[in-house]
Amino acid sequence: MNVDHLIDSLKTMDSYKRYGKVIRVVGLMIESKGPKTSIGDVCYIHTTTGKKQKIKAEVVGFQEENVLLMPFSYIKDISVGSLVEAAHRPLEIKAGASLIGKVLDGMGNPLDGSVLPRGLNRIPTENDPPNPMERPRINESIQLGIRSIDSLLTVGKGQRVGIFAGSGVGKSTLLGMVARNSTADLNVIALIGERGREVLDFIERDLGEEGLRRSVVIVATSDQPALMRIKGAQTATAIAEYFRDQGKNVMLMMDSVTRVAMAQREIGLAVGEPPTTKGYTPSVFAILPKLLERSGTNKHGTITAFYTVLVDGDDFNEPISDTVRGILDGHFILDRNLANKGQFPAVNILKSISRVMNDIVPIEHRKSADRFRELLSSYVDAEDLINIGAYKRGSSKIVDEAIQSYPSILSFLKQEVDEDVSFDDAVQRLLVEFRKDVQ
């Protein structure tokens, strides 16, 4: 044991605890006089009324010489004069293999109130994205177990994809299928801003016992403070990074990144940021790339990430959708019209794209997928004429072929929720049914 090192540590250790005191509370924002601290550091607010406790908060800004704090929990017992203790470090959580199969809150604690297993490692919730020069290229596909995506929108290990949809079009069900059927080593699933009722529904119905056994689920419901919702997203990403650094191929799923942006908007408005596009503050558009760029590949392993984007009014060009689509490596559009017709998954193949597919699939696979899109696009363009009987067979060769192939196309795109389709079976069916038309 290096005694000299311990002695040096004791000599340089700050033996004083520094305190400030609360001088104002406005909404969820707490303003204190002192202590000396930095942005992102954790502070403990000592309550003086009711049940005496220490409420954890984070430094989110400064107003002149006062510290602006945002709490991780409710603030009903905080009063003017409550002491504020500085921890002089950002929030840390614990991670390790024994977390697999557990449901955690936004700070990494078991949601059922149990105790964390021993032998876990402490990690920060906020990390920098990998150096661009140390990101290996994506050159290998990953099975998701969904026929239309694996064959027509092939995803690579380490790719980041957005799932864009309005409410009630099947985002959670799609994520549950991926969690159960993918070939990733494990799943890290973040449920951010969900209704409390939907958490158990997702875990028991969509994820299932089989999916939970290979997953870590992080939950921050809509009733929790804005900071806790943001920390839920950061905690999930940090846990995924931990397993990636162990050499794992991790599947990260976040539902939804829109609610992360809304939480940051709440914080930004509370600290005095000016609202810009549709009321979103500038910090929203700063936090999104920093969060989304943390996933992907590094020299140890991969994080294949799916981020759902809740599209208000089915407007796919609203600010958050437009920003996220520009950051990620592909986007899947879930179409309400397809869902209304009974097609599930309701992925609009013609409006969706995987930006790495052409680099990771053989040429015959790519050509067959292109042929599939050509036939589907031709049918969709002529669908109104076909339905009213105005199209005359023979007017267009490609439309004639599309009409003949449409039952096969529709059968190919539909898949039952409990149907597990392997990547090889999906591609083989695509080649068998559409390869004959490839020149």
Side-chain angles (χ1 to χ4, degrees), residues 411-426:
S411 173
F412 188 89
L413 293 175
K414 287 185 177 182
Q415 182 175 335
E416 295 295 330
V417 174
D418 57 355
E419 183 183 356
D420 184 3
V421 179
S422 72
F423 182 89
D424 292 338
D425 289 344

Side-chain angles (χ1 to χ4, degrees), residues 168-288:
V169 189
K171 298 186 300 298
S172 297
T173 306
L174 188 67
L175 292 181
M177 291 179 68
V178 172
R180 294 192 307 271
N181 302 334
S182 80
T183 53
D185 295 325
L186 74 151
N187 307 304
V188 178
I189 304 170
L191 304 179
I192 308 299
E194 290 285 343
R195 305 175 188 90
R197 174 190 61 81
E198 292 179 332
V199 173
L200 208 56
D201 281 351
F202 176 82
I203 292 172
E204 294 185 354
R205 182 192 62 199
D206 297 327
L207 188 59
E209 185 179 345
E210 176 188 352
L212 184 59
R213 275 200 304 266
R214 54 197 297 263
S215 303
V216 182
V217 182
I218 293 88
V219 177
T221 50
S222 58
D223 62 295
Q224 293 182 313
L227 186 61
M228 185 63 102
R229 281 174 267 151
I230 292 176
K231 287 302 172 185
Q234 293 175 339
T235 293
T237 307
I239 292 173
E241 290 171 328
Y242 171 83
F243 286 111
R244 177 180 62 185
D245 290 342
Q246 306 297 311
K248 304 289 187 183
N249 294 313
V250 184
M251 183 70 68
L252 171 64
M253 289 172 274
M254 189 176 295
D255 184 15
S256 72
V257 72
T258 305
R259 294 189 176 108
V260 176
M262 290 177 174
Q264 182 59 38
R265 177 173 62 182
E266 287 182 40
I267 294 175
L269 292 173
V271 299
E273 284 189 74
T276 54
T277 312
K278 283 200 172 181
Y280 288 103
T281 56
S283 62
V284 173
F285 303 101
I287 195 176
L288 285 176

Side-chain angles (χ1 to χ4, degrees), residues 375-397:
L375 292 171
L376 179 58
S377 176
S378 299
Y379 184 90
V380 169
D381 289 343
E383 187 171 16
D384 290 341
L385 295 177
I386 296 169
N387 289 340
I388 65 175
Y391 175 76
K392 293 184 179 180
R393 191 173 294 274
S395 301
S396 168
K397 180 181 177 182

Side-chain angles (χ1 to χ4, degrees), residues 51 53 100 133 170 208 244 251 266-267 287 292 349-350 402:
K51 182 182 177 182
Q53 56 183 322
I100 300 174
M133 296 302 293
R244 177 180 62 185
M251 183 70 68
E266 287 182 40
I267 294 175
I287 195 176
L292 303 182
I349 299 298
L350 301 178

